[in-house]
Amino acid sequence: MTQQIQPLSPSDFHEVQSFYWTLIEQMQNAEFHPGWEKGVYPADAFFTASLTAGQLYALKANGKIIAAMVLNHQCNDGYAGTAWNIAATAEEVTIIHALGVLPEVHGQGIAQQMVQAAIQIARAKQQKAIRLDVLGGNTPALKLYEKLGFQYHRTVQMFYEDTGWTNFLLYELVL
């Protein structure tokens, strides 16, 4: 049975923080870890802003968050200059951030379910496209996005607090 992916609220802050911190701990030695750091990325201010804006979505099983993501219109400066397939203003594009799934449920299609939900949410909001960046070398994420129809555009060095200057692959799905 498929559970519902729901937006969370500010009252869920501690549960969200606990989910991401658990994910970071459990993925530390994984072959394809996200490169996230507790308190750096995703940061508490990012959780608070995303929860307040209704942009943090989660999937729960047995009352516990097993997957989460943020959908908004904010992107890294490295997205500029990319030859996207469709011209769109920032408000016409959904950006996927901080998509994470607990390792205990890896291989069960949860990440795919989350991305499919992001696509449905973006379509319902009449967005023109979904764009995202993937840390270079994150093969499972690259395969997932390509399987779901996202098109690779370019690899660009971008700065994030948790990774420093690192190669990221930029993807787009035109809706």
Side-chain angles (χ1 to χ4, degrees):
M1 181 163 110
T2 302
Q3 284 96 358
Q4 196 70 0
I5 295 163
Q6 298 286 343
L8 298 183
S9 68
S11 64
D12 297 306
F13 173 85
H14 292 293
E15 186 179 5
V16 168
Q17 182 188 56
S18 176
F19 162 77
Y20 278 104
W21 285 15
T22 298
L23 179 65
I24 289 166
E25 288 170 9
Q26 292 181 359
M27 296 292 290
Q28 257 336 29
N29 298 316
E31 184 178 359
F32 304 108
H33 63 85
W36 299 342
E37 290 181 41
K38 288 182 185 179
V40 178
Y41 185 84
D44 290 353
F46 179 69
F47 297 144
T48 300
S50 300
L51 288 164
T52 300
Q55 298 170 338
L56 198 149
Y57 294 81
L59 177 63
K60 292 185 178 186
N62 301 317
K64 172 184 161 186
I65 297 175
I66 59 169
M69 66 184 167
V70 171
L71 304 177
N72 65 26
H73 304 290
Q74 300 164 7
C75 63
N76 187 290
D77 292 343
Y79 283 50
T82 302
W84 299 110
N85 289 335
I86 190 165
T89 66
E91 294 302 313
E92 295 173 319
V93 176
T94 293
I95 310 292
I96 299 177
H97 301 276
L99 172 58
V101 177
L102 289 179
E104 65 203 55
V105 294
H106 280 182
Q108 297 180 27
I110 303 296
Q112 180 172 328
Q113 189 178 341
M114 294 294 288
V115 176
Q116 288 170 327
I119 293 167
Q120 291 174 341
I121 291 164
R123 282 190 174 133
K125 294 181 177 185
Q126 300 179 331
Q127 298 288 279
K128 289 185 175 182
I130 297 176
R131 295 178 183 154
L132 54 90
D133 55 78
V134 180
L135 185 63
N138 188 344
T139 306
L142 299 174
K143 286 182 178 177
L144 170 66
Y145 295 125
E146 289 173 5
K147 174 183 172 182
L148 293 175
F150 284 78
Q151 287 191 311
Y152 167 78
H153 280 272
R154 70 178 180 141
T155 300
V156 62
Q157 277 221 335
M158 295 192 301
F159 182 84
Y160 284 109
E161 291 295 326
D162 57 328
T163 62
W165 287 99
T166 309
N167 283 335
F168 287 86
L169 288 78
L170 299 182
Y171 279 84
E172 176 183 51
L173 178 71
V174 175
L175 300 175

